[in-house]
């Protein structure tokens, strides 16, 4: 599975937008970009995924660079409940498994 | 909203004992997974299961581990002879299909081997 690089930690203020970056320079043409998050003491939770085009859902937006070598997860208005570890994962078409990295630990200040 | 359910939430077992962790995936899902997370470390893939057989497993998933879907609703992970290093959170997940879809995770079972 192709590797991703994320900052270890980020801070945000409540009710402000948060942009979580992910680099994946070795992405292949068939890799989907998935984002999951893990709140404290909980299992991972799906956030969003995409292939080439930007994606929006009720939780977040995913902006994918034109060359697909990087992507950004956007939380439009951070809440205290968004404090979690956010994982950017490349998922190939060979199976359903997810390979988690260390992720970005997001803290949200009131 | 449908959810993946895991029992027990916490299991304490003596080293060398067998343990079975149970999961009830979402009912129309066809793909099932086990992951583990040692305290303070990243989530690690163990095994995926489809059509009543293992479709993929990691190096961690050695002969002491087995999975089963005994009755069409439960999905179990058995560890035959537990070691201290098996202490971890074990997460079950399920998805409708393998590709281009989201996986739903349970809340996990904390296994403590003493």
């Amino acid at each position: 599975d192709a590797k991703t690089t994320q900052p270890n930690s980020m801070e945000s203020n409540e009710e402000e937008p948060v942009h979580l970056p992910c680099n994946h320079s070795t992405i292949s043409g068939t890799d989907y970009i998935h984002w999951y998050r893990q709140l404290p003491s909980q299992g991972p939770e799906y956030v969003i995924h995409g292939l080439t085009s930007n994606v929006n859902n009720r939780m977040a937006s995913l902006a994918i660079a034109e060359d697909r070598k990087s992507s950004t997860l956007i939380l439009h208005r951070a809440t205290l409940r968004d404090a979690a570890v956010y994982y950017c994962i490349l998922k190939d078409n060979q199976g359903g498994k997810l390979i988690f990295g260390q992720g970005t630990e997001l803290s949200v200040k009131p | 909203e449908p959810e993946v359910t895991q029992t027990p939430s916490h299991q304490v077992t003596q080293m060398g004992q067998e343990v079975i962790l149970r999961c009830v995936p979402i009912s129309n899902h066809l793909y099932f997974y086990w992951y583990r997370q040692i305290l303070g470390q990243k989530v690690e893939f163990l095994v995926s299961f489809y059509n009543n057989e293992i479709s993929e497993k990691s190096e961690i998933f050695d002969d002491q581990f087995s999975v089963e879907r005994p009755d069409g609703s439960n999905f179990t992970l058995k560890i035959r002879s537990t070691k201290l290093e098996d202490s971890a959170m074990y997460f079950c997940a399920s998805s409708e299909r393998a590709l281009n879809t989201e996986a739903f995770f349970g809340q996990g079972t904390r296994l403590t081997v003493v």
Side-chain angles (χ1 to χ4, degrees):
Chain A
D1 297 285
K3 194 171 164 51
T4 63
T5 305
Q6 299 178 251
N8 289 332
S9 62
M10 288 184 67
E11 258 187 13
S12 169
N13 293 317
E14 198 176 8
E15 299 194 2
E16 289 186 358
V18 183
H19 290 232
L20 296 161
C22 180
N23 286 318
H24 29 78
S25 57
T26 58
I27 191 169
S28 76
T30 54
D31 285 339
Y32 281 82
I33 302 158
H34 285 244
W35 284 82
Y36 281 76
R37 71 180 185 180
Q38 188 174 22
L39 278 63
S41 304
Q42 294 194 28
E45 176 188 29
Y46 168 82
V47 179
I48 201 166
H49 77 281
L51 184 62
T52 55
S53 306
N54 295 344
V55 185
N56 299 295
N57 67 18
R58 61 175 179 82
M59 286 182 73
S61 296
L62 175 59
I64 301 173
E66 207 170 311
D67 64 3
R68 300 206 332 124
K69 292 181 189 282
S70 65
S71 60
T72 303
L73 179 71
I74 303 163
L75 307 179
H76 296 286
R77 284 184 67 206
T79 68
L80 297 178
R81 216 195 147 272
D82 291 322
V85 179
Y86 286 78
Y87 300 99
C88 169
I89 300 169
L90 298 185
K91 197 156 170 296
D92 62 24
N93 60 355
Q94 299 302 313
K97 72 172 188 247
L98 295 164
I99 301 298
F100 290 81
Q102 298 294 344
T104 296
E105 184 168 9
L106 175 68
S107 55
V108 181
K109 295 186 291 184
Chain B
E1 192 171 308
E3 59 180 15
V4 174
T5 308
Q6 290 186 243
T7 54
S9 55
H10 191 187
Q11 171 102 38
V12 181
T13 189
Q14 288 208 323
M15 193 167 54
Q17 294 296 305
E18 175 183 284
V19 67
I20 297 175
L21 309 183
R22 301 182 194 279
C23 169
V24 178
I26 294 172
S27 61
N28 64 332
H29 285 186
L30 300 177
Y31 293 81
F32 314 111
Y33 311 87
W34 283 102
Y35 293 81
R36 79 171 186 190
Q37 186 173 31
I38 295 169
L39 187 64
Q41 297 187 24
K42 59 186 182 182
V43 177
E44 299 174 290
F45 167 75
L46 292 178
V47 67
S48 57
F49 191 86
Y50 168 71
N51 202 23
N52 278 322
E53 60 182 30
I54 290 173
S55 46
E56 194 170 2
K57 59 183 180 179
S58 71
E59 289 177 358
I60 303 168
F61 194 88
D62 61 22
D63 290 345
Q64 70 159 345
F65 290 93
S66 62
V67 289
E68 199 178 32
R69 190 156 157 80
D71 56 13
S73 61
N74 290 288
F75 178 51
T76 61
L77 174 69
K78 183 193 289 186
I79 309 174
R80 284 191 188 82
S81 177
T82 49
K83 308 187 195 91
L84 294 176
E85 54 265 38
D86 293 327
S87 295
M89 282 291 287
Y90 287 81
F91 295 108
C92 172
S94 69
S95 61
E96 269 187 280
R97 50 188 189 276
L99 306 175
N100 193 20
T101 189
E102 62 184 285
F104 291 79
F105 284 77
Q107 292 299 313
T109 292
R110 178 172 299 286
L111 176 66
T112 303
V113 183
V114 297

